[in-house]
Amino acid sequence: ANALVVSPRLTYQGSTSNSTVDGVTAFGTNPLNTTSTLNGTHNGGYNASITTTYRRMLSTNGRTIAATVNVDGSNRWNDGSLSSSNTFTKPLDSTYRFDQRSDGGSTGRTIGGQLAYTEPVGERDMIQLSYEPSFTDNSSLKTTRNLDSATSTFTRVDSVLSSNFINGYSTHKLGALYRLRGESTILTFGGSYQRASLSGEQLFPNSLRVERTFDNFLPTIMIQQKYSAASNLRMFYRTSTNAPSI
């Protein structure tokens, strides 16, 4: 018997916010300084993914093979504005104005999958062997510009609040599980060996590159106890790693 399952997914999210802050600092009835700040942001982005799974039963006693392919992509963007005016009355009347604009976003894509083979052992037990590769690429860019009072344009890049970074993360995981099936108890145990490779490069404001490799053993155990047709107890212990994000 064969089975093919395709699961697409698409989400979009956007938001806009604006805020105004006015403040006064005074000593008694005498104002020392006043401040007024306007802040606005606009964000948007989408996530799209598709998962395709193919299963084939090789024999009636439980021998199967299954292949899964996952493809994920995301794109997020944002822009913002910040304007403030601060007036001081002591020791001399003076006003400082600050005007700033920013824009940027991030993109990411992941391609991964799993190839799993199950083999029956005896009348009740089963063993599963699997291989799971995954490849992820991300990029992040933010540019912040201050107002150039000489030209009245936002051309002065603020290097402290600007950045450009790209990174890649790949994993290869080999795993094995063994399932013991009793009259009312099922015990599944095993683990995976995973090798992960991380690469990152900062392009702005400074050039920086990093390369790292990680090796992990990830154990798994599950116990299921059946008490009746309507009640059972499951206990899991599973381990995993998370890819770095930007």
Side-chain angles (χ1 to χ4, degrees), residues 199-239:
S199 64
E201 184 175 6
Q202 179 178 279
L203 305 176
F204 186 86
N206 301 310
S207 296
L208 178 66
R209 185 170 181 84
V210 62
E211 299 278 351
R212 294 288 188 274
T213 301
F214 309 94
D215 294 287
N216 297 278
F217 176 70
L218 307 173
T220 298
I221 186 169
M222 181 190 76
I223 301 175
Q224 180 177 347
Q225 179 67 42
K226 184 177 180 180
Y227 297 102
S228 65
S231 64
N232 65 81
L233 175 65
R234 291 183 181 182
M235 293 184 292
F236 296 88
Y237 175 76
R238 290 178 288 192
T239 56

Side-chain angles (χ1 to χ4, degrees), residues 116-134:
Y117 172 79
T118 59
E119 176 70 25
V121 179
E123 296 182 357
R124 295 184 175 182
D125 299 347
M126 182 176 295
I127 189 172
Q128 176 181 286
L129 304 175
S130 62
Y131 168 61
E132 298 180 47
S134 178

